Amino acid sequence: MALMLKGARLIDPQVGLDEVADILIRDGVIVEIGHDLEMPKGVERDLSGKIITPGLVDIHVHFRDPGFEEKEDIISGSRAAAHGGFTAVCPMPNTKPVIDNAVGVEYVKSRAKDAKCRIILCGACTKDLAGQVLSDMGDMHASGVKAFSDDGRGIQDAGMMRRVMEYASQFDAPIMLHCQDDSLVGDGQVNEGAASTRLGMIGWPAVGEEAEIERDILLCRLTGAPIHIQHITTARGLDMVRAAKAEGLPVTCEVTPHHLFLTEDDITDQYQTSLKVNPPLRTADDAVALVEGVVDGTIDAIVTDHAPHTDWEKDRPFEQAPFGMVGLETSVGLVLTKLVDTGIIDYARMIELMAVAPREILGLEPVKLEAGSVADLTVIDPDVSWTVSRDDFYSKSGNSGFLGWSLKGRASDVYVGGYSTMEEGVVVD
């Protein structure tokens, strides 16, 4: 099949490209990029006024499949991903049962055949996320796993964390780390400090995150294993990563839009459970530091930590409601509105954060706007204005902390291997 995408602005910092041009695609691969291209037969689309980037990738999502499909499943999650502009996502293995063996991996692979985006496989570090016994990492890697994570529960024992790093090193697969010291965090609900005092809730101290970031950087130095700090939230934690990078250690990190654009001050009463996330929303100073980390390169990737829950779960009192919010369908609009349109970063930096670095972190083949590259592409309409509404979501869940926000810019079309998974804002069935 031949496909011609005409007249869009093509941006790819990997190849120094930023110009209006055409893309010719055949059999899922970019054949040619140029001006006034022609093809004898095929589908042609006029994308004038829009922007084409290498396909966006989210390396931190929760699809709840198997075990919690009432919240989300691989198919519904992939539809939400396509609607958000993503060509690939990496679901975390904290399902029920946990993806801690090759059988679980094969289940995900079987479900992924019908997904609307590529599903990157991730396996647990330890059996049942219990932090006691190593998972079947070798078998899972042989089945296609690209990374390992006990996301949702930090590995508490330093000796076990060292063994995980040493074992994973032989596969050249990064460990994606949920840094949380349970002895410090305890039953924390919101950031410890002004928010916990004002709301009368148990505080979640920043040091509960920072202590494990420091520990895991030390173990990275010891083992040489590549590590990836998930959903970083504090200025001090970011300084630790910055220092580790300066030392040359194989350390990367990610941030979510909700930790960039929301703070503890946004939680004004005990009923805003959509703002209950793990780790919690931090201070305004922390948010400023995170934005600086996005600008200066300390932060490698923007991810969503898409964490769907049912209405009845989130409708419970704050202390009883689960942690997490959905994010796949708002991420691009938030980044465009809050970072790109304000001039804090440009499109090239956005693409590095949301398309290039995520692939590099997981050791995936790069996708570039050049001949010979697979045609995984995201098309962005930079001018469309829209309001975040649950009625607009393809996700099964609507627990977003951004409902009602007015945004400018969003993905309009998505191509995976040259085939459209979304056209003009509608996911293709």
Side-chain angles (χ1 to χ4, degrees), residues 111-376:
R111 294 281 283 150
K113 292 177 182 178
D114 297 319
K116 294 298 181 180
C117 65
R118 299 186 192 275
I119 303 297
I120 306 164
L121 301 170
C122 181
C125 298
T126 66
K127 290 281 189 180
D128 204 32
L129 304 182
Q132 301 296 317
V133 179
L134 285 174
S135 66
D136 296 340
M137 298 171 78
D139 288 346
M140 288 192 288
H141 183 261
S143 292
V145 159
K146 298 297 184 182
F148 299 98
S149 178
D150 271 13
D151 182 50
R153 300 178 63 180
I155 296 176
Q156 300 302 299
D157 184 83
M160 174 55 70
M161 188 72 256
R162 176 183 181 178
R163 288 192 288 277
V164 167
M165 289 187 187
E166 290 176 336
Y167 197 58
S169 293
Q170 64 184 303
F171 309 120
D172 196 27
I175 305 299
M176 303 172 74
L177 299 168
H178 180 122
C179 293
Q180 174 182 317
D181 186 325
D182 288 344
S183 68
L184 292 167
V185 170
D187 295 322
Q189 300 290 308
V190 294
N191 189 46
E192 183 177 280
S196 59
T197 301
R198 171 168 47 84
L199 296 167
M201 295 184 192
I202 298 174
W204 181 310
V207 71
E209 177 179 339
E210 294 158 355
E212 281 216 352
I213 291 176
E214 181 66 17
R215 181 202 72 177
D216 291 344
I217 288 174
L218 289 171
L219 292 173
C220 170
R221 182 184 296 122
L222 175 68
T223 64
I227 64 171
H228 177 72
I229 309 296
Q230 296 179 299
H231 44 47
I232 197 163
T233 69
T234 78
R236 288 190 180 92
L238 195 62
D239 283 341
M240 295 174 189
V241 172
R242 188 176 282 115
K245 286 173 173 280
E247 188 181 334
L249 297 178
V251 178
T252 56
C253 70
E254 66 184 35
V255 70
T256 71
H258 51 269
H259 289 116
L260 286 170
F261 309 131
L262 295 169
T263 73
E264 62 177 6
D265 298 329
D266 291 299
I267 309 174
T268 57
D269 62 55
Q270 296 195 19
Y271 300 98
Q272 292 175 281
T273 59
S274 61
L275 302 184
K276 182 179 181 181
V277 290
N278 177 359
L281 301 179
R282 302 293 189 186
T283 69
D285 287 343
D286 286 317
V288 169
L290 294 176
V291 171
E292 290 174 352
V294 165
V295 173
D296 70 21
T298 304
I299 290 174
D300 299 275
I302 293 177
V303 304
T304 64
D305 193 9
H306 177 82
H309 293 291
T310 60
D311 289 345
W312 71 265
E313 290 174 300
K314 279 292 193 177
D315 284 344
R316 292 185 293 181
F318 203 98
E319 292 86 348
Q320 298 174 23
F323 293 94
M325 72 168 70
V326 293
L328 278 167
E329 296 171 87
T330 54
S331 181
V332 169
L334 287 164
V335 172
L336 289 172
T337 303
K338 302 291 286 184
L339 297 179
V340 177
D341 278 1
T342 56
I344 294 173
I345 63 174
D346 59 15
Y347 277 104
R349 179 65 180 138
M350 173 186 170
I351 293 164
E352 290 172 348
L353 289 158
M354 302 184 73
V356 179
R359 289 187 173 90
E360 292 175 344
I361 290 166
L362 297 190
L364 306 177
E365 286 295 319
V367 172
K368 301 179 180 180
L369 299 187
E370 66 178 8
S373 178
V374 64
D376 286 5

Side-chain angles (χ1 to χ4, degrees), residues 3 5 11-12 14 23 25-30 52-57 85-89 116-120 351 354-356 359 364-370 372-379 413-421:
L3 172 68
L5 305 179
I11 307 177
D12 184 357
Q14 301 170 100
I23 300 180
I25 299 166
R26 186 174 290 113
D27 298 327
V29 176
I30 296 174
I52 297 180
T53 77
L56 304 185
V57 180
F86 294 94
T87 60
V89 296
K116 294 298 181 180
C117 65
R118 299 186 192 275
I119 303 297
I120 306 164
I351 293 164
M354 302 184 73
V356 179
R359 289 187 173 90
L364 306 177
E365 286 295 319
V367 172
K368 301 179 180 180
L369 299 187
E370 66 178 8
S373 178
V374 64
D376 286 5
L377 308 172
T378 299
V379 183
D413 304 81
V414 175
Y415 294 91
V416 178
Y419 289 90
S420 61
T421 57

Side-chain angles (χ1 to χ4, degrees), residues 34-45:
H35 301 91
D36 301 319
L37 297 183
E38 297 180 358
M39 65 177 177
K41 186 177 181 181
V43 176
E44 181 173 304
R45 294 201 59 205

